[in-house]
Amino acid sequence: MTSLLSMNRRNFLRTSAAGALVSTVPGLLSSRAFAQSTLTVGFIYVGPKDDYGYNQSHAEGAAVVKKISGVTVVEEENVPETVDVQKTMESMINLDGASLLFPTSFGYFDPHMLAMAAKYPDVQFRHCGGLWQAGKHPANTGSYFGYIFQGQYLNGVTAGYATKSKKIGFVAAKPIPQVLQNINAFLLGARSVDPAITCQVIFTGEWSLAVKEAEATNALIDQGADVITCHVDSPKVVVETAAGRGAFVCGYHANQSPLAPAKYLTGAEWAWGNVYSDFVKKAQAGEKLGNFVRGGLKDGFVKMSPLGPGVSDESRKKFEATLAQMKAGSFSVFKGALKDNKGNVVIAADKSYAEDAIELESMSYLVEGVVGSTA
């Protein structure tokens, strides 16, 4: 039924008179550009809304928006990063009356969201990621993202106490800056407990590839890793495979503790409900929406899964103390002296980066102690 509805939505404008009507009535959509007590908001996901991962985290955010008075939410899942997403956006605008759209997947931005933003200048588009640039992209577009590497550092703290082998593992999709931040932060958190801990990383090459994710998880455990985390769209396979092998796991994107209740230590989660609610309330009030929005634990963009039964009292104490520092804005994950895994000094001894540092946006290295390659 879902696929049928999706097909109908994407094909409606092409196959019905409604598309022609919208295109021939000047100003039909322009009234939606102003403050309004009633607002229709569209959310688009590249995968299923219940994937225990990236898409679920955004769907949970949309669920919070649904509770705001005067707001109607329309959603579509399993939309590819192709012209299909343009059709979905266009139908949400023309058929549902959406004036604020959140195309959540990385590949939706260029050319798809940008094309729709040019065609519908009175509609606001906000994309999850860091691709928007002032002076280059339209004013009715923007981006939002969070410093979730803070959560991966805290994952690493619990991993540092839980590991017996002093080897932890990371299943990663692609070696882009956001992923490298998470790998590095995970090991740095673990090394705050024991500097002898190392981290093996395996890149699958895709955001969602269950077979490779299972193979990578098994390979890491075969090499001695006894705590596993990841950065892929849906951590479900990684979590279940690792727990099935007896390893502890740290989650990502959403709460995966129901998948491995005995082995789940904690997880770095998105708190998109706070971010989306702020955008929506500003739109309702007719206020300008931010074009480049960022935040971390202290800003309510990121949160942590509850600590699991495998977390010791000592681990809990350090976890909670570090979390409190992060929420107060007094803790820096990336500080010197820090070397990469090739022996080069990447952060000097007297230097520390604020979480919004430009340098972190272009991180291209893995830190000392990470066994793996960005090539």
Side-chain angles (χ1 to χ4, degrees):
M1 178 64 72
T2 300
S3 0
L4 179 60
L5 291 174
S6 299
M7 181 183 68
N8 287 345
R9 173 182 289 284
R10 295 170 206 165
N11 290 335
F12 185 87
L13 291 175
R14 184 177 63 193
T15 58
S16 74
L21 175 63
V22 169
S23 63
T24 56
V25 181
L28 184 62
L29 303 176
S30 60
S31 63
R32 293 201 295 272
F34 305 102
Q36 44 194 314
S37 57
T38 60
L39 180 72
T40 298
V41 183
F43 291 87
I44 307 168
Y45 317 110
V46 73
K49 295 191 295 181
D50 58 353
D51 66 350
Y52 280 97
Y54 183 82
N55 297 289
Q56 181 170 316
S57 71
H58 289 288
E60 289 173 355
V64 174
V65 172
K66 291 176 184 178
K67 299 177 183 178
I68 300 175
S69 178
V71 175
T72 299
V73 169
V74 291
E75 303 170 271
E76 188 163 350
E77 58 188 332
N78 297 311
V79 181
E81 294 175 331
T82 65
V83 70
D84 279 353
V85 73
Q86 295 189 37
K87 296 175 184 177
T88 292
M89 285 187 275
E90 195 153 27
S91 69
M92 285 180 171
I93 294 166
N94 292 332
L95 305 184
D96 301 300
S99 57
L100 174 59
L101 293 181
F102 294 106
T104 61
S105 191
F106 186 82
Y108 289 163
F109 185 81
D110 188 1
H112 309 299
M113 190 185 89
L114 295 179
M116 289 298 99
K119 188 172 183 178
Y120 298 101
D122 293 330
V123 175
Q124 291 291 321
F125 300 79
R126 292 299 179 273
H127 178 261
C128 184
L131 299 178
W132 187 87
Q133 295 179 40
K136 178 179 180 180
H137 296 128
N140 64 325
T141 65
S143 70
Y144 57 96
F145 207 62
Y147 309 130
I148 201 166
F149 60 82
Q150 293 180 317
Q152 280 289 12
Y153 184 95
L154 291 168
N155 277 350
V157 169
T158 65
Y161 283 101
T163 181
K164 303 300 182 186
S165 67
K166 297 190 179 184
K167 295 179 180 180
I168 58 179
F170 202 112
V171 179
K174 301 182 181 184
I176 65 171
Q178 291 89 345
V179 178
L180 301 181
Q181 289 167 14
N182 283 328
I183 298 167
N184 292 337
F186 183 55
L187 178 60
L188 292 173
R191 284 197 155 185
S192 73
V193 177
D194 184 345
I197 294 172
T198 60
C199 178
Q200 173 79 41
V201 58
I202 296 178
F203 293 99
T204 65
E206 297 292 343
W207 294 111
S208 182
L209 202 57
V211 173
K212 283 193 174 182
E213 289 160 14
E215 291 173 348
T217 303
N218 281 316
L220 291 170
I221 295 171
D222 289 343
Q223 294 170 44
D226 56 2
V227 184
I228 306 293
T229 192
C230 63
H231 185 157
V232 296
D233 268 8
S234 174
K236 185 176 188 290
V237 169
V238 173
V239 169
E240 291 181 329
T241 302
R245 291 285 304 275
F248 283 107
V249 291
C250 293
Y252 188 64
H253 288 316
N255 185 359
Q256 290 97 39
S257 61
L259 301 175
K263 290 295 184 179
Y264 195 81
L265 296 174
T266 186
E269 299 183 36
W270 298 108
W272 292 131
N274 296 329
V275 181
Y276 288 140
S277 295
D278 184 62
F279 273 125
V280 167
K281 289 175 181 178
K282 284 182 177 178
Q284 283 184 305
E287 299 176 16
K288 177 177 171 56
L289 306 187
N291 295 106
F292 196 80
V293 178
R294 294 289 186 276
L297 283 161
K298 73 182 180 67
D299 309 292
F301 281 50
V302 180
K303 60 183 178 181
M304 296 303 296
S305 302
L307 296 175
V311 176
S312 68
D313 290 341
E314 187 179 12
S315 178
R316 180 182 296 272
K317 183 177 179 180
K318 183 175 177 66
F319 173 94
E320 291 178 346
T322 308
L323 175 60
Q325 286 182 286
M326 288 179 170
K327 286 186 173 181
S330 60
F331 188 93
S332 178
V333 169
F334 295 104
K335 53 183 177 284
L338 186 65
K339 294 181 179 180
D340 65 17
N341 63 358
K342 297 177 183 177
N344 304 305
V345 175
V346 289
I347 303 180
D350 60 348
K351 176 76 173 178
S352 65
Y353 288 146
E355 310 300 24
D356 60 351
I358 296 297
E359 293 88 344
L360 299 184
E361 293 280 344
S362 58
M363 183 173 284
S364 60
Y365 56 83
L366 291 170
V367 300
E368 184 177 30
V370 176
V371 182
S373 174
T374 59

